[in-house]
Amino acid sequence: MSDLIDQSLKLKREILESDPDKRLGYEAPLGKLIASMQEQDIPVPAEIRDLHEELVNEMIESQFDNMPV
């Protein structure tokens, strides 16, 4: 149990320390880690859920960055 929580916190640090242009690449691995935690009935820390939501929102916004106005 604590292994997945430790992994999520390590991944969070990695994401926060990464180049902002590369953050979106972390959305899928973080989502899979959250899904694994949920499958094993491990409570997902709020800070991890919030970070994943932030990445999802950034991903959605990035789809509109290059759209002509």
Side-chain angles (χ1 to χ4, degrees):
M1 175 170 127
S2 66
D3 184 43
L4 286 176
I5 293 174
D6 290 344
Q7 286 179 30
S8 70
L9 296 175
K10 180 181 175 198
L11 187 56
K12 176 190 171 199
R13 278 192 307 275
E14 197 175 313
I15 293 168
L16 295 177
E17 294 172 357
S18 72
D19 182 340
D21 294 333
K22 297 181 181 179
R23 281 174 50 107
L24 295 182
Y26 287 99
E27 186 276 327
L30 186 59
K32 288 179 184 176
L33 189 57
I34 290 171
S36 294
M37 292 172 77
Q38 291 171 334
E39 288 172 6
Q40 296 181 32
D41 292 324
I42 298 171
V44 179
E47 62 190 292
I48 301 301
R49 281 194 319 267
D50 293 345
L51 179 58
H52 185 252
E53 183 177 332
E54 184 179 322
L55 291 175
V56 169
N57 289 335
E58 286 177 16
M59 184 177 272
I60 291 169
E61 288 178 24
S62 74
Q63 294 174 353
F64 296 101
D65 284 346
N66 296 321
M67 290 187 82
V69 181

